[in-house]
Structure formats: structure tokens, C-alpha cells
Amino acid sequence: MVDLADLLADLATESEQLDALVSSLAPADWARPTPAPGWTVGHQIAHLTWTDHVALLAATDATAFFASVTAAPDPARLVDDGAEEFLAPPAELLARWRAGRTALADALAAAPPGEKLPWYGTRMSPASMATARIMETWAHGADVADALGVTRPANARLRHVAYLGFRTLGHSFAAHGRPVPTAPVRVELAAPDGTTWSFGPADATDRVTGPALDFCLLVTQRRHRADLALTATGPVADEWLDVAQAFAGPPGTGRPPATTDSGVPA
């Protein structure tokens, strides 16, 4: 089991690295479009700020959290509306993001052991919430990096994203209206340091193998499986790669393949 303090330290590092990527940008660069349709670099940071805000409500005031959900005029647009609501000039947005993520980390660290925090369609331990925030920060950071033409090296923090991607196999099927499989899946990933990260029974017939970075890009729906070096063995593993999502809520739309079967850009 990963210690909550270690998770929060990794969350802080992941946030700081994304902060360093955007803090020196010119105002025009904050308006650059990202791979998420309709979202600029600013929207990506505003989304993280909004999500930290509602996560803080979940950790400190469950009544206020549920009120924020029920008050949403259009639940289907909750995420987009949150990003729009929190969008602000770069300096103001950065200050709010920094303050919000610090407050959330403090609240998670102070949460009573064993407490389950409300979330969208589920309840989460403080450790699970911290893991989810690492996943979200890394995934939206990937969108920002793509918009800026920056390549970010893989790092050990990806293990949290990969583990969450593995743990959400059942949710991925359910979110897409498909029966949750009963057959276990083994995941074996080539880690950035040359070791192997393994999840699931070693004797499972269904298996997913490949680079850890590619698996994380898949489960956060930042790349189409056709553009990744992942191998699925068995029907459950193969179907999973079509629906995988490590985030809560309804099914994501994913990203189209970058190339067609003929190798021509899509």
C-alpha cells in the first residue's frame, strides 16, 4: 500500500512540473488550442483548478459537494462548465490553482483514516483521491505539452496512473454500457527505469503488455490504441483497450487515431 504522504508528495511534484511549464508562457500561449476540442491551455489549468475545488469540498464539506452537483444546470456539461467558470487571466488563474491544490493536499492529509470521500458516482479514500489527482494532473499536462509541442519524459509517478488504470477496468466497461468481465487481466508494463510494473494474477489468460507510458496515455484517453505499442492477448484484454478510462463519470470520447491503416495522417 502506498503511503498517503508519499502520494501527496508525488502530486505536488507533478503539479509543480506542470506549473513550471505554463508559468512563463506569454498570454497568447495560454490561448493555444489543445487536443481537447474547444479547450485552450488556459481551460486545462482552469479544469484542474475547478476539480481541486470540488475535491476540497468533498474532503471538507460533503453537503456543499453534493449541492454543487445538484445545482449544475446541465450535468452533461459539468466538466466543461467548471473549466469555463474558473477560467481567468493567467496570473489570477495560476494563483488560484496554486492555492487550491495546496488546500486540497492539506485537507487530504488531515482526513481521518478510513474515511470515504464522496465523488461522482463513487466514494474514495483520501489516498485514492490523491492518486486520481495525480492522474488528472498528468493527463491534462499531456494536453498542455501537446499544445506547446513539448515532449515530457516518462517518470516513476506514472505507476500511480497505471495502477489506477488497472483498477478501473470494471468501471471502464460499465461506463460504456458493457457487461463487466469476470475474467482477470494481467498487465505487464515496461517502466521508465527498465523494470516491469505488474498488476493482476500472473496466471491470467487475458494480458496487456507494452510501455508504461503508452498504457497511461491509453487509460487517460490521450492517445488511440492504434498509435500505441500495447499488445492485448485474449478477448477481455482486447475489448478493454477499446473502452479503458481511468477517470470517473460517463464514457470519454477518446482521441481519434493519428494515422489511418495506410499510414497516412488521419
Side-chain angles (χ1 to χ4, degrees):
M1 179 180 295
V2 180
D3 183 74
L4 176 58
D6 292 338
L7 285 168
L8 293 175
D10 281 349
L11 174 57
T13 301
E14 193 65 41
S15 300
E16 288 160 5
Q17 291 198 353
L18 177 55
D19 192 314
L21 186 60
V22 300
S23 59
S24 61
L25 292 178
D29 289 325
W30 283 80
R32 285 196 192 193
T34 67
W39 279 28
T40 64
V41 169
H43 283 94
Q44 298 287 347
I45 302 303
H47 168 73
L48 292 175
T49 307
W50 170 78
T51 314
D52 286 343
H53 168 72
V54 291
L56 179 61
L57 290 181
T60 61
D61 190 342
T63 300
F65 169 78
F66 287 121
S68 73
V69 176
T70 57
D74 183 357
R77 284 193 50 82
L78 185 66
V79 172
D80 289 299
D81 288 347
E84 288 289 347
E85 178 188 352
F86 276 67
L87 194 61
E92 180 183 339
L93 179 54
L94 272 174
R96 191 170 190 181
W97 178 37
R98 290 165 180 165
R101 72 192 196 223
T102 298
L104 174 60
D106 290 344
L108 293 178
E115 182 173 1
K116 293 289 186 179
L117 311 178
W119 200 237
Y120 300 100
T122 187
R123 298 186 73 86
M124 304 172 72
S125 69
S128 293
M129 182 69 81
T131 302
R133 299 310 304 132
I134 293 171
M135 178 273 295
E136 282 253 347
T137 304
W138 179 82
H140 290 282
D143 289 340
V144 171
D146 285 345
L148 300 176
V150 173
T151 299
R152 302 187 305 168
N155 58 66
R157 294 185 301 280
L158 286 179
R159 184 180 179 90
H160 304 307
V161 182
Y163 179 66
L164 186 59
F166 167 73
R167 286 289 304 273
T168 51
L169 183 154
H171 165 70
S172 299
F173 280 80
H176 287 80
R178 306 188 187 191
V180 176
T182 56
V185 178
R186 173 74 167 183
V187 176
E188 295 182 352
L189 305 172
D193 64 358
T195 61
T196 299
W197 295 339
S198 300
F199 312 111
D203 60 350
T205 301
D206 283 83
R207 311 176 78 83
V208 172
T209 59
L213 175 60
D214 286 21
F215 183 73
C216 292
L217 289 167
L218 180 88
V219 299
T220 57
Q221 296 191 352
R222 262 51 192 182
R223 295 289 188 277
H224 191 278
R225 66 177 294 185
D227 301 317
L228 301 170
L230 296 172
T231 299
T233 303
V236 174
D238 185 63
E239 186 177 3
W240 181 28
L241 295 194
D242 287 332
V243 299
Q245 68 175 63
F247 49 89
T253 57
R255 300 281 161 80
T259 58
T260 64
D261 291 340
S262 62
V264 177

